[in-house]
Amino acid sequence: MEMKDTSEPKPDPGYGNQGYPGADYPGYPPPQNPYGYQPAGYPPAGYQPTGYPPAGYQPAGYPPAGYQPAGYPPAGYQPAGYPPPGGQVPQGYPPGPYQGQPGQANFGAYGGPTAMPNQHGGPAAAWMPTPAPIPNCPPGLEYLSQIDQILVHQQVELLEALTGYETNNKYEIKNSLGQRVYFAAEENDCCTRNCCGPGRPFTMTIVDNTGREIMKLNRPCRCSSCCFPCCLQKLEVQAPPGTVVGYVKQNWHPCLPKFTIQDENEQGVLKIKGPCIPCSCCTDVNFEVKTMDESSVVGRITKQWTGYVKEAFTDADNFGIQFPMDLDVKVKAVLLGACFLIDFMFFEESEKKN
């Protein structure tokens, strides 16, 4: 009988894979760890490193929910002086297009007609900064104390240019830097505009960058022909509305357009003298502002040539007004009114209509 050698060594359960007890195959770790063995250096389950913030930890100085940084305006904050909803936004951007009932101005949140942006979608002109109040100066005329030149630009109305239907005139009034000083809008009804033409009576309201009414011009229905010297043109200037500061009165002359600038007591202050034929044909037309004795020229109202296309197909005109810097602001306001009267008398009809 053959005897089996019982001295043959049996395989060790952990042989060939040191560090993993119970492994039957060299180098192969068991699929599970029935002994709960944890390799050296491996953190146990649920181990929290030293210094690690616990769950829900809030770092020191971190702002809590709803924290408002110092100096930051709260929700719904309204800057001081900001216009109410629906009001105008004058700072660098004018309000929406001038709208209103036929023949009436559109009065905005500040009581005056709303201003109008530049045409053709161009960038809006910046407003002139509001000056500090001046003693014994009508409110709103402080602007005129800082300038010696005014630019008056009439807005082009597409409806009027295409159909010939007369609309209310609107003007931008700027300083020599191109900053908008005032905005003027005619108030008239449809029948008067289209039946009476440039000789129509009108009321012109002038507002500043806040929509506040600064001036009001009243032109009654009068003649302008030298054949009727007893009923010539006259324009009343109020600043503020309701307070008369002067008049523009047409003087009789067989050939020349002549006017007198009067104060609130209808006393003559300056005179205006125009050319014999105030025709704008490829050149500017100058109306000289003179002293009462007409010995010296102190200023000028100029109808500027704007190009053949604009002159032929529209009645939108550009004017420049020059006067001494130290001239009384009330007289400057009356000269501005004289510019509008001259526009209606001599340049309102375009060559297309003629």
Side-chain angles (χ1 to χ4, degrees):
M1 176 182 296
E2 183 180 356
M3 299 294 292
K4 189 178 287 188
D5 188 6
T6 60
S7 62
E8 183 178 353
K10 295 183 179 181
D12 190 352
Y15 177 78
N17 191 356
Q18 301 300 324
Y20 289 93
D24 294 333
Y25 302 95
Y28 187 80
Q32 56 184 354
N33 191 358
Y35 301 100
Y37 173 77
Q38 191 75 6
Y42 190 84
Y47 171 78
Q48 190 79 358
T50 305
Y52 190 84
Y57 171 76
Q58 192 80 352
Y62 189 82
Y67 171 76
Q68 193 77 0
Y72 190 82
Y77 172 76
Q78 193 79 352
Y82 191 80
Q88 301 179 43
V89 186
Q91 183 60 35
Y93 188 79
Y98 184 92
Q99 297 176 349
Q101 298 298 326
Q104 299 295 330
N106 180 30
F107 288 85
Y110 293 90
T114 55
M116 186 176 185
N118 290 1
Q119 299 293 319
H120 310 299
W127 285 90
M128 179 178 175
T130 304
I134 300 177
N136 301 323
C137 176
L141 296 189
E142 302 93 348
Y143 296 91
L144 301 180
S145 66
Q146 301 181 358
I147 57 180
D148 59 357
Q149 183 178 4
I150 296 178
L151 306 177
V152 180
H153 296 168
Q154 184 177 353
Q155 300 293 323
V156 177
E157 298 292 336
L158 295 180
L159 176 63
E160 183 174 337
L162 297 176
T163 65
Y165 177 83
E166 187 67 35
T167 59
N168 282 326
N169 289 357
K170 293 176 278 290
Y171 303 84
E172 286 182 305
I173 304 171
K174 304 179 181 179
N175 59 15
S176 58
L177 300 178
Q179 296 174 323
R180 190 178 298 169
V181 183
Y182 300 122
F183 183 83
E186 175 189 0
E187 299 175 34
N188 228 326
D189 60 87
C190 173
C191 181
T192 302
R193 290 196 310 268
N194 291 276
C195 294
C196 299
R200 62 184 181 267
F202 65 79
T203 297
M204 188 84 66
T205 301
I206 301 177
V207 300
D208 65 359
N209 58 354
T210 65
R212 177 182 55 170
E213 291 189 27
I214 302 302
M215 285 181 274
K216 189 175 287 289
L217 314 178
N218 294 319
R219 179 199 186 187
C221 184
R222 286 173 168 254
C223 299
S224 59
S225 172
C226 63
C227 300
F228 302 95
C230 62
C231 193
L232 296 178
Q233 293 293 309
K234 188 176 183 179
L235 180 76
E236 180 186 73
V237 180
Q238 301 175 5
T243 303
V244 178
V245 297
Y247 301 88
V248 183
K249 183 179 178 181
Q250 182 186 7
N251 300 331
W252 182 88
H253 194 279
C255 301
L256 300 177
K258 301 184 72 173
F259 303 88
T260 298
I261 302 298
Q262 300 177 332
D263 61 12
E264 61 271 22
N265 299 318
E266 300 192 46
Q267 300 297 318
V269 179
L270 296 171
K271 286 192 174 181
I272 299 176
K273 180 181 178 181
C276 181
I277 303 177
C279 176
S280 178
C281 184
C282 301
T283 185
D284 294 346
V285 182
N286 294 318
F287 291 77
E288 295 181 343
V289 180
K290 298 184 175 183
T291 57
M292 284 300 296
D293 57 3
E294 301 187 23
S295 60
S296 60
V297 177
V298 298
R300 182 177 292 109
I301 298 177
T302 303
K303 163 64 176 66
Q304 300 172 348
W305 171 255
T306 56
Y308 177 78
V309 174
K310 188 174 181 180
E311 295 284 344
F313 295 99
T314 72
D315 57 5
D317 303 312
N318 292 345
F319 288 87
I321 309 174
Q322 298 177 348
F323 38 67
M325 179 73 75
D326 58 352
L327 188 65
D328 187 1
V329 292
K330 296 180 182 179
V331 180
K332 292 181 180 181
V334 179
L335 284 174
L336 177 59
C339 176
F340 292 121
L341 181 60
I342 290 173
D343 180 32
F344 273 83
M345 290 180 60
F346 303 108
F347 305 106
E348 178 65 12
E349 284 283 2
S350 65
E351 295 181 14
K352 177 183 178 181
K353 295 179 182 180
N354 291 335

